[in-house]
Amino acid sequence: MDTGVPMRGFVCAVACAVQQSGEEIIDPTLEQEQSAAAVLTFGFSNESEIITSHMIGQIAQEKFYSALSFASSAAKTVSDFYRSSAEKKLSKELHVKERVNEVKS
């Protein structure tokens, strides 16, 4: 998150395994991936727009869209965490800079 390079946003990737039973699992283990009908990886922008997707295996189109929706919800949670962490870090840095300026004055 702290690259030192100005950025307009960030990308959040989410993996989802769709089991033979139809169950969808976010952030699957290796065993869950190996037993899955399909494993999908989605990339989302910080505005929750899908940027990319990749799938290994085969599932029905409606199951793909269901997994996409599930992954989008998970990405929103991760995105909110990124944003909260960045805000806390920037807030601390700003506070430190203000204190340094007070000491210099």
Side-chain angles (χ1 to χ4, degrees), residues 34-52:
Q34 290 172 338
S35 67
V39 177
L40 303 97
T41 304
F42 299 100
F44 298 92
S45 72
N46 56 320
E47 286 88 29
S48 299
E49 296 173 342
I50 186 163
I51 296 171
T52 188

Side-chain angles (χ1 to χ4, degrees), residues 19-78:
Q19 298 300 303
Q20 300 292 340
S21 65
E23 177 187 15
E24 298 165 349
I25 302 170
I26 295 295
D27 194 20
T29 64
L30 178 60
E31 293 80 19
Q32 291 167 328
E33 285 185 11
Q34 290 172 338
S35 67
V39 177
L40 303 97
T41 304
F42 299 100
F44 298 92
S45 72
N46 56 320
E47 286 88 29
S48 299
E49 296 173 342
I50 186 163
I51 296 171
T52 188
S53 68
H54 179 262
M55 180 172 73
I56 298 172
Q58 293 182 343
I59 52 175
Q61 185 175 356
E62 60 272 2
K63 199 60 183 169
F64 174 88
Y65 286 112
S66 175
L68 173 59
S69 177
F70 190 41
S72 179
S73 295
K76 173 83 170 96
T77 301
V78 172

Side-chain angles (χ1 to χ4, degrees), residues 4-5 12-13 18-19 21 27 32 34 44 48 60 71-72 74-75 80 83 90 96-97 105:
V5 176
C12 177
V18 179
Q19 298 300 303
S21 65
D27 194 20
Q32 291 167 328
Q34 290 172 338
F44 298 92
S48 299
S72 179
D80 290 345
R83 182 171 287 105
L90 292 173
V96 168
K97 287 180 183 179
S105 301

